[in-house]
Amino acid sequence: MAGIPRFLLAQAGSDVVIEAYEGSGAYGDIYGDPVTVRAVVDASRRLVRDDAGTEVVSETTLYAPLSTVAPAGSRVTLPDGTSSTVITAKRRDGGRLPVPSHVEVVLT
């Protein structure tokens, strides 16, 4: 399975920090430890559907390695220091096809 080409991550990629949403507790939301991931950041506005099917506006989309864990509700810190929330994350696994397998992370 082919991932995002290394040259693309090296030239167009940026480091983002993801804190995976783990649930809600007595004192608010619970997040996992921060994990730094190299991803391609596409800062363009588009209309998307969240996991419940509701239409929402996304300001940024990340294209990250297939091993990236970012469930809906996770916190993401972008390279410019902006904090955002994951609307949805979709695995784009091409299997044996010669396409770049990745996780598409849609942010508010």
PDB file of all heavy atoms in Angstrom, residues 11-46:
ATOM      1  N   GLN A  11       8.091  18.702   0.824  1.00  0.00           N
ATOM      2  CA  GLN A  11       8.001  20.019   0.204  1.00  0.00           C
ATOM      3  C   GLN A  11       6.738  20.775   0.614  1.00  0.00           C
ATOM      4  O   GLN A  11       6.779  21.964   0.867  1.00  0.00           O
ATOM      5  CB  GLN A  11       8.053  19.888  -1.314  1.00  0.00           C
ATOM      6  CG  GLN A  11       9.398  19.397  -1.790  1.00  0.00           C
ATOM      7  CD  GLN A  11       9.448  19.235  -3.294  1.00  0.00           C
ATOM      8  OE1 GLN A  11       8.490  19.499  -3.997  1.00  0.00           O
ATOM      9  NE2 GLN A  11      10.579  18.779  -3.777  1.00  0.00           N
ATOM     10  N   ALA A  12       5.609  20.087   0.643  1.00  0.00           N
ATOM     11  CA  ALA A  12       4.340  20.762   0.907  1.00  0.00           C
ATOM     12  C   ALA A  12       3.771  20.433   2.286  1.00  0.00           C
ATOM     13  O   ALA A  12       2.764  20.995   2.683  1.00  0.00           O
ATOM     14  CB  ALA A  12       3.316  20.380  -0.162  1.00  0.00           C
ATOM     15  N   GLY A  13       4.399  19.519   2.994  1.00  0.00           N
ATOM     16  CA  GLY A  13       3.886  19.092   4.291  1.00  0.00           C
ATOM     17  C   GLY A  13       4.252  20.042   5.416  1.00  0.00           C
ATOM     18  O   GLY A  13       5.201  20.813   5.315  1.00  0.00           O
ATOM     19  N   SER A  14       3.473  19.980   6.462  1.00  0.00           N
ATOM     20  CA  SER A  14       3.700  20.781   7.659  1.00  0.00           C
ATOM     21  C   SER A  14       3.425  19.922   8.879  1.00  0.00           C
ATOM     22  O   SER A  14       2.649  18.970   8.808  1.00  0.00           O
ATOM     23  CB  SER A  14       2.751  21.983   7.690  1.00  0.00           C
ATOM     24  OG  SER A  14       2.946  22.810   6.575  1.00  0.00           O
ATOM     25  N   ASP A  15       4.051  20.267   9.988  1.00  0.00           N
ATOM     26  CA  ASP A  15       3.791  19.540  11.224  1.00  0.00           C
ATOM     27  C   ASP A  15       2.537  20.098  11.893  1.00  0.00           C
ATOM     28  O   ASP A  15       2.406  21.307  12.076  1.00  0.00           O
ATOM     29  CB  ASP A  15       4.971  19.659  12.184  1.00  0.00           C
ATOM     30  CG  ASP A  15       6.170  18.848  11.724  1.00  0.00           C
ATOM     31  OD1 ASP A  15       5.972  17.897  10.951  1.00  0.00           O
ATOM     32  OD2 ASP A  15       7.296  19.174  12.131  1.00  0.00           O
ATOM     33  N   VAL A  16       1.614  19.205  12.222  1.00  0.00           N
ATOM     34  CA  VAL A  16       0.412  19.560  12.975  1.00  0.00           C
ATOM     35  C   VAL A  16       0.394  18.708  14.238  1.00  0.00           C
ATOM     36  O   VAL A  16       0.983  17.632  14.276  1.00  0.00           O
ATOM     37  CB  VAL A  16      -0.882  19.345  12.157  1.00  0.00           C
ATOM     38  CG1 VAL A  16      -0.907  20.257  10.943  1.00  0.00           C
ATOM     39  CG2 VAL A  16      -1.050  17.909  11.751  1.00  0.00           C
ATOM     40  N   VAL A  17      -0.271  19.198  15.278  1.00  0.00           N
ATOM     41  CA  VAL A  17      -0.367  18.457  16.537  1.00  0.00           C
ATOM     42  C   VAL A  17      -1.820  18.027  16.719  1.00  0.00           C
ATOM     43  O   VAL A  17      -2.730  18.856  16.664  1.00  0.00           O
ATOM     44  CB  VAL A  17       0.096  19.318  17.728  1.00  0.00           C
ATOM     45  CG1 VAL A  17      -0.073  18.555  19.032  1.00  0.00           C
ATOM     46  CG2 VAL A  17       1.542  19.750  17.532  1.00  0.00           C
ATOM     47  N   ILE A  18      -2.017  16.720  16.905  1.00  0.00           N
ATOM     48  CA  ILE A  18      -3.363  16.165  17.073  1.00  0.00           C
ATOM     49  C   ILE A  18      -3.507  15.608  18.482  1.00  0.00           C
ATOM     50  O   ILE A  18      -2.667  14.836  18.936  1.00  0.00           O
ATOM     51  CB  ILE A  18      -3.640  15.059  16.035  1.00  0.00           C
ATOM     52  CG1 ILE A  18      -3.526  15.617  14.616  1.00  0.00           C
ATOM     53  CG2 ILE A  18      -5.010  14.431  16.274  1.00  0.00           C
ATOM     54  CD1 ILE A  18      -3.633  14.569  13.533  1.00  0.00           C
ATOM     55  N   GLU A  19      -4.590  16.010  19.152  1.00  0.00           N
ATOM     56  CA  GLU A  19      -4.960  15.447  20.445  1.00  0.00           C
ATOM     57  C   GLU A  19      -6.274  14.707  20.216  1.00  0.00           C
ATOM     58  O   GLU A  19      -7.325  15.335  20.058  1.00  0.00           O
ATOM     59  CB  GLU A  19      -5.139  16.545  21.487  1.00  0.00           C
ATOM     60  CG  GLU A  19      -3.865  17.315  21.778  1.00  0.00           C
ATOM     61  CD  GLU A  19      -4.136  18.528  22.642  1.00  0.00           C
ATOM     62  OE1 GLU A  19      -4.244  18.353  23.874  1.00  0.00           O
ATOM     63  OE2 GLU A  19      -4.254  19.627  22.077  1.00  0.00           O
ATOM     64  N   ALA A  20      -6.211  13.390  20.141  1.00  0.00           N
ATOM     65  CA  ALA A  20      -7.381  12.568  19.804  1.00  0.00           C
ATOM     66  C   ALA A  20      -8.460  12.668  20.879  1.00  0.00           C
ATOM     67  O   ALA A  20      -8.184  12.555  22.074  1.00  0.00           O
ATOM     68  CB  ALA A  20      -6.967  11.113  19.619  1.00  0.00           C
ATOM     69  N   TYR A  21      -9.692  12.894  20.427  1.00  0.00           N
ATOM     70  CA  TYR A  21     -10.841  12.957  21.334  1.00  0.00           C
ATOM     71  C   TYR A  21     -11.116  11.549  21.869  1.00  0.00           C
ATOM     72  O   TYR A  21     -11.225  10.591  21.107  1.00  0.00           O
ATOM     73  CB  TYR A  21     -12.058  13.483  20.585  1.00  0.00           C
ATOM     74  CG  TYR A  21     -13.313  13.536  21.418  1.00  0.00           C
ATOM     75  CD1 TYR A  21     -13.477  14.506  22.395  1.00  0.00           C
ATOM     76  CD2 TYR A  21     -14.339  12.626  21.226  1.00  0.00           C
ATOM     77  CE1 TYR A  21     -14.627  14.564  23.158  1.00  0.00           C
ATOM     78  CE2 TYR A  21     -15.494  12.676  21.977  1.00  0.00           C
ATOM     79  CZ  TYR A  21     -15.633  13.643  22.945  1.00  0.00           C
ATOM     80  OH  TYR A  21     -16.777  13.697  23.699  1.00  0.00           O
ATOM     81  N   GLU A  22     -11.215  11.430  23.199  1.00  0.00           N
ATOM     82  CA  GLU A  22     -11.435  10.120  23.824  1.00  0.00           C
ATOM     83  C   GLU A  22     -12.785  10.003  24.508  1.00  0.00           C
ATOM     84  O   GLU A  22     -13.138   8.945  25.000  1.00  0.00           O
ATOM     85  CB  GLU A  22     -10.306   9.825  24.806  1.00  0.00           C
ATOM     86  CG  GLU A  22      -8.954   9.685  24.132  1.00  0.00           C
ATOM     87  CD  GLU A  22      -7.833   9.365  25.091  1.00  0.00           C
ATOM     88  OE1 GLU A  22      -8.014   9.526  26.325  1.00  0.00           O
ATOM     89  OE2 GLU A  22      -6.767   8.959  24.618  1.00  0.00           O
ATOM     90  N   GLY A  23     -13.522  11.095  24.597  1.00  0.00           N
ATOM     91  CA  GLY A  23     -14.832  11.049  25.233  1.00  0.00           C
ATOM     92  C   GLY A  23     -15.043  12.245  26.141  1.00  0.00           C
ATOM     93  O   GLY A  23     -14.254  13.175  26.174  1.00  0.00           O
ATOM     94  N   SER A  24     -16.129  12.170  26.898  1.00  0.00           N
ATOM     95  CA  SER A  24     -16.484  13.254  27.794  1.00  0.00           C
ATOM     96  C   SER A  24     -16.498  12.727  29.228  1.00  0.00           C
ATOM     97  O   SER A  24     -16.951  11.612  29.472  1.00  0.00           O
ATOM     98  CB  SER A  24     -17.865  13.800  27.416  1.00  0.00           C
ATOM     99  OG  SER A  24     -18.152  14.946  28.152  1.00  0.00           O
ATOM    100  N   GLY A  25     -15.990  13.539  30.140  1.00  0.00           N
ATOM    101  CA  GLY A  25     -15.953  13.140  31.536  1.00  0.00           C
ATOM    102  C   GLY A  25     -16.679  14.145  32.410  1.00  0.00           C
ATOM    103  O   GLY A  25     -17.321  15.083  31.926  1.00  0.00           O
ATOM    104  N   ALA A  26     -16.565  13.985  33.698  1.00  0.00           N
ATOM    105  CA  ALA A  26     -17.242  14.851  34.658  1.00  0.00           C
ATOM    106  C   ALA A  26     -16.770  16.299  34.553  1.00  0.00           C
ATOM    107  O   ALA A  26     -17.505  17.223  34.875  1.00  0.00           O
ATOM    108  CB  ALA A  26     -17.010  14.338  36.078  1.00  0.00           C
ATOM    109  N   TYR A  27     -15.550  16.509  34.081  1.00  0.00           N
ATOM    110  CA  TYR A  27     -14.982  17.856  34.013  1.00  0.00           C
ATOM    111  C   TYR A  27     -14.807  18.341  32.578  1.00  0.00           C
ATOM    112  O   TYR A  27     -14.054  19.268  32.321  1.00  0.00           O
ATOM    113  CB  TYR A  27     -13.649  17.903  34.753  1.00  0.00           C
ATOM    114  CG  TYR A  27     -13.809  17.544  36.208  1.00  0.00           C
ATOM    115  CD1 TYR A  27     -13.419  16.302  36.677  1.00  0.00           C
ATOM    116  CD2 TYR A  27     -14.386  18.445  37.094  1.00  0.00           C
ATOM    117  CE1 TYR A  27     -13.595  15.960  38.001  1.00  0.00           C
ATOM    118  CE2 TYR A  27     -14.558  18.113  38.435  1.00  0.00           C
ATOM    119  CZ  TYR A  27     -14.163  16.869  38.880  1.00  0.00           C
ATOM    120  OH  TYR A  27     -14.339  16.535  40.196  1.00  0.00           O
ATOM    121  N   GLY A  28     -15.490  17.714  31.625  1.00  0.00           N
ATOM    122  CA  GLY A  28     -15.403  18.148  30.230  1.00  0.00           C
ATOM    123  C   GLY A  28     -14.825  17.070  29.329  1.00  0.00           C
ATOM    124  O   GLY A  28     -14.727  15.899  29.699  1.00  0.00           O
ATOM    125  N   ASP A  29     -14.446  17.480  28.149  1.00  0.00           N
ATOM    126  CA  ASP A  29     -13.918  16.542  27.160  1.00  0.00           C
ATOM    127  C   ASP A  29     -12.556  16.007  27.573  1.00  0.00           C
ATOM    128  O   ASP A  29     -11.774  16.695  28.235  1.00  0.00           O
ATOM    129  CB  ASP A  29     -13.813  17.223  25.791  1.00  0.00           C
ATOM    130  CG  ASP A  29     -15.179  17.573  25.216  1.00  0.00           C
ATOM    131  OD1 ASP A  29     -16.167  16.914  25.592  1.00  0.00           O
ATOM    132  OD2 ASP A  29     -15.250  18.500  24.403  1.00  0.00           O
ATOM    133  N   ILE A  30     -12.279  14.776  27.139  1.00  0.00           N
ATOM    134  CA  ILE A  30     -11.014  14.119  27.444  1.00  0.00           C
ATOM    135  C   ILE A  30     -10.277  13.891  26.128  1.00  0.00           C
ATOM    136  O   ILE A  30     -10.858  13.387  25.157  1.00  0.00           O
ATOM    137  CB  ILE A  30     -11.244  12.777  28.162  1.00  0.00           C
ATOM    138  CG1 ILE A  30     -12.017  13.005  29.464  1.00  0.00           C
ATOM    139  CG2 ILE A  30      -9.921  12.065  28.423  1.00  0.00           C
ATOM    140  CD1 ILE A  30     -12.519  11.734  30.111  1.00  0.00           C
ATOM    141  N   TYR A  31      -8.989  14.268  26.112  1.00  0.00           N
ATOM    142  CA  TYR A  31      -8.168  14.130  24.909  1.00  0.00           C
ATOM    143  C   TYR A  31      -6.937  13.297  25.215  1.00  0.00           C
ATOM    144  O   TYR A  31      -6.436  13.294  26.333  1.00  0.00           O
ATOM    145  CB  TYR A  31      -7.728  15.508  24.405  1.00  0.00           C
ATOM    146  CG  TYR A  31      -8.893  16.380  24.002  1.00  0.00           C
ATOM    147  CD1 TYR A  31      -9.458  17.284  24.894  1.00  0.00           C
ATOM    148  CD2 TYR A  31      -9.437  16.286  22.736  1.00  0.00           C
ATOM    149  CE1 TYR A  31     -10.525  18.077  24.529  1.00  0.00           C
ATOM    150  CE2 TYR A  31     -10.517  17.081  22.357  1.00  0.00           C
ATOM    151  CZ  TYR A  31     -11.050  17.969  23.256  1.00  0.00           C
ATOM    152  OH  TYR A  31     -12.114  18.737  22.887  1.00  0.00           O
ATOM    153  N   GLY A  32      -6.432  12.625  24.188  1.00  0.00           N
ATOM    154  CA  GLY A  32      -5.212  11.847  24.317  1.00  0.00           C
ATOM    155  C   GLY A  32      -3.994  12.756  24.315  1.00  0.00           C
ATOM    156  O   GLY A  32      -4.099  13.980  24.161  1.00  0.00           O
ATOM    157  N   ASP A  33      -2.847  12.151  24.483  1.00  0.00           N
ATOM    158  CA  ASP A  33      -1.597  12.902  24.452  1.00  0.00           C
ATOM    159  C   ASP A  33      -1.389  13.524  23.073  1.00  0.00           C
ATOM    160  O   ASP A  33      -1.763  12.935  22.057  1.00  0.00           O
ATOM    161  CB  ASP A  33      -0.411  11.988  24.778  1.00  0.00           C
ATOM    162  CG  ASP A  33      -0.462  11.484  26.210  1.00  0.00           C
ATOM    163  OD1 ASP A  33      -1.019  12.190  27.074  1.00  0.00           O
ATOM    164  OD2 ASP A  33       0.051  10.375  26.465  1.00  0.00           O
ATOM    165  N   PRO A  34      -0.775  14.707  23.031  1.00  0.00           N
ATOM    166  CA  PRO A  34      -0.512  15.352  21.740  1.00  0.00           C
ATOM    167  C   PRO A  34       0.448  14.521  20.897  1.00  0.00           C
ATOM    168  O   PRO A  34       1.452  14.002  21.402  1.00  0.00           O
ATOM    169  CB  PRO A  34       0.136  16.679  22.118  1.00  0.00           C
ATOM    170  CG  PRO A  34      -0.093  16.858  23.571  1.00  0.00           C
ATOM    171  CD  PRO A  34      -0.331  15.512  24.150  1.00  0.00           C
ATOM    172  N   VAL A  35       0.127  14.380  19.615  1.00  0.00           N
ATOM    173  CA  VAL A  35       0.961  13.641  18.673  1.00  0.00           C
ATOM    174  C   VAL A  35       1.250  14.553  17.485  1.00  0.00           C
ATOM    175  O   VAL A  35       0.329  15.131  16.899  1.00  0.00           O
ATOM    176  CB  VAL A  35       0.246  12.360  18.181  1.00  0.00           C
ATOM    177  CG1 VAL A  35       1.059  11.644  17.130  1.00  0.00           C
ATOM    178  CG2 VAL A  35      -0.072  11.444  19.346  1.00  0.00           C
ATOM    179  N   THR A  36       2.530  14.711  17.139  1.00  0.00           N
ATOM    180  CA  THR A  36       2.908  15.528  15.985  1.00  0.00           C
ATOM    181  C   THR A  36       2.897  14.662  14.738  1.00  0.00           C
ATOM    182  O   THR A  36       3.471  13.582  14.713  1.00  0.00           O
ATOM    183  CB  THR A  36       4.297  16.152  16.185  1.00  0.00           C
ATOM    184  OG1 THR A  36       4.261  16.954  17.374  1.00  0.00           O
ATOM    185  CG2 THR A  36       4.696  17.021  15.005  1.00  0.00           C
ATOM    186  N   VAL A  37       2.209  15.164  13.705  1.00  0.00           N
ATOM    187  CA  VAL A  37       2.042  14.426  12.452  1.00  0.00           C
ATOM    188  C   VAL A  37       2.438  15.341  11.302  1.00  0.00           C
ATOM    189  O   VAL A  37       2.093  16.525  11.300  1.00  0.00           O
ATOM    190  CB  VAL A  37       0.564  13.978  12.273  1.00  0.00           C
ATOM    191  CG1 VAL A  37       0.343  13.318  10.936  1.00  0.00           C
ATOM    192  CG2 VAL A  37       0.153  13.057  13.406  1.00  0.00           C
ATOM    193  N   ARG A  38       3.148  14.806  10.331  1.00  0.00           N
ATOM    194  CA  ARG A  38       3.482  15.552   9.111  1.00  0.00           C
ATOM    195  C   ARG A  38       2.332  15.362   8.139  1.00  0.00           C
ATOM    196  O   ARG A  38       1.969  14.232   7.808  1.00  0.00           O
ATOM    197  CB  ARG A  38       4.784  15.012   8.523  1.00  0.00           C
ATOM    198  CG  ARG A  38       5.313  15.831   7.388  1.00  0.00           C
ATOM    199  CD  ARG A  38       6.167  16.938   7.925  1.00  0.00           C
ATOM    200  NE  ARG A  38       6.810  17.641   6.826  1.00  0.00           N
ATOM    201  CZ  ARG A  38       7.286  18.848   6.957  1.00  0.00           C
ATOM    202  NH1 ARG A  38       7.205  19.456   8.115  1.00  0.00           N
ATOM    203  NH2 ARG A  38       7.833  19.443   5.947  1.00  0.00           N
ATOM    204  N   ALA A  39       1.716  16.453   7.684  1.00  0.00           N
ATOM    205  CA  ALA A  39       0.547  16.371   6.818  1.00  0.00           C
ATOM    206  C   ALA A  39       0.548  17.503   5.808  1.00  0.00           C
ATOM    207  O   ALA A  39       1.181  18.544   6.022  1.00  0.00           O
ATOM    208  CB  ALA A  39      -0.724  16.448   7.662  1.00  0.00           C
ATOM    209  N   VAL A  40      -0.169  17.306   4.731  1.00  0.00           N
ATOM    210  CA  VAL A  40      -0.397  18.373   3.765  1.00  0.00           C
ATOM    211  C   VAL A  40      -1.627  19.133   4.244  1.00  0.00           C
ATOM    212  O   VAL A  40      -2.672  18.527   4.495  1.00  0.00           O
ATOM    213  CB  VAL A  40      -0.616  17.808   2.345  1.00  0.00           C
ATOM    214  CG1 VAL A  40      -0.945  18.919   1.360  1.00  0.00           C
ATOM    215  CG2 VAL A  40       0.612  17.024   1.889  1.00  0.00           C
ATOM    216  N   VAL A  41      -1.513  20.456   4.382  1.00  0.00           N
ATOM    217  CA  VAL A  41      -2.592  21.295   4.897  1.00  0.00           C
ATOM    218  C   VAL A  41      -3.214  22.068   3.736  1.00  0.00           C
ATOM    219  O   VAL A  41      -2.526  22.826   3.045  1.00  0.00           O
ATOM    220  CB  VAL A  41      -2.064  22.285   5.965  1.00  0.00           C
ATOM    221  CG1 VAL A  41      -3.189  23.160   6.478  1.00  0.00           C
ATOM    222  CG2 VAL A  41      -1.392  21.533   7.106  1.00  0.00           C
ATOM    223  N   ASP A  42      -4.510  21.862   3.526  1.00  0.00           N
ATOM    224  CA  ASP A  42      -5.246  22.574   2.475  1.00  0.00           C
ATOM    225  C   ASP A  42      -6.210  23.538   3.165  1.00  0.00           C
ATOM    226  O   ASP A  42      -7.249  23.125   3.679  1.00  0.00           O
ATOM    227  CB  ASP A  42      -6.001  21.579   1.600  1.00  0.00           C
ATOM    228  CG  ASP A  42      -6.826  22.245   0.509  1.00  0.00           C
ATOM    229  OD1 ASP A  42      -6.669  23.465   0.283  1.00  0.00           O
ATOM    230  OD2 ASP A  42      -7.631  21.538  -0.125  1.00  0.00           O
ATOM    231  N   ALA A  43      -5.857  24.820   3.177  1.00  0.00           N
ATOM    232  CA  ALA A  43      -6.671  25.834   3.859  1.00  0.00           C
ATOM    233  C   ALA A  43      -7.678  26.437   2.879  1.00  0.00           C
ATOM    234  O   ALA A  43      -7.515  27.552   2.405  1.00  0.00           O
ATOM    235  CB  ALA A  43      -5.782  26.911   4.448  1.00  0.00           C
ATOM    236  N   SER A  44      -8.701  25.672   2.562  1.00  0.00           N
ATOM    237  CA  SER A  44      -9.750  26.178   1.678  1.00  0.00           C
ATOM    238  C   SER A  44     -11.114  25.831   2.267  1.00  0.00           C
ATOM    239  O   SER A  44     -11.311  24.762   2.826  1.00  0.00           O
ATOM    240  CB  SER A  44      -9.602  25.608   0.269  1.00  0.00           C
ATOM    241  OG  SER A  44      -9.655  24.203   0.285  1.00  0.00           O
ATOM    242  N   ARG A  45     -12.039  26.749   2.118  1.00  0.00           N
ATOM    243  CA  ARG A  45     -13.381  26.594   2.682  1.00  0.00           C
ATOM    244  C   ARG A  45     -14.227  25.718   1.765  1.00  0.00           C
ATOM    245  O   ARG A  45     -14.222  25.891   0.554  1.00  0.00           O
ATOM    246  CB  ARG A  45     -14.022  27.958   2.849  1.00  0.00           C
ATOM    247  CG  ARG A  45     -15.401  27.913   3.476  1.00  0.00           C
ATOM    248  CD  ARG A  45     -15.942  29.294   3.679  1.00  0.00           C
ATOM    249  NE  ARG A  45     -15.151  29.915   4.743  1.00  0.00           N
ATOM    250  CZ  ARG A  45     -15.112  31.208   4.961  1.00  0.00           C
ATOM    251  NH1 ARG A  45     -15.781  32.039   4.212  1.00  0.00           N
ATOM    252  NH2 ARG A  45     -14.385  31.695   5.949  1.00  0.00           N
ATOM    253  N   ARG A  46     -14.976  24.789   2.384  1.00  0.00           N
ATOM    254  CA  ARG A  46     -15.908  23.965   1.617  1.00  0.00           C
ATOM    255  C   ARG A  46     -17.011  23.448   2.526  1.00  0.00           C
ATOM    256  O   ARG A  46     -16.854  23.381   3.748  1.00  0.00           O
ATOM    257  CB  ARG A  46     -15.202  22.819   0.906  1.00  0.00           C
ATOM    258  CG  ARG A  46     -14.581  21.791   1.829  1.00  0.00           C
ATOM    259  CD  ARG A  46     -13.777  20.768   1.030  1.00  0.00           C
ATOM    260  NE  ARG A  46     -13.164  19.817   1.925  1.00  0.00           N
ATOM    261  CZ  ARG A  46     -13.212  18.513   1.785  1.00  0.00           C
ATOM    262  NH1 ARG A  46     -13.843  17.994   0.760  1.00  0.00           N
ATOM    263  NH2 ARG A  46     -12.618  17.722   2.636  1.00  0.00           N
TER     264      ARG A  46
END
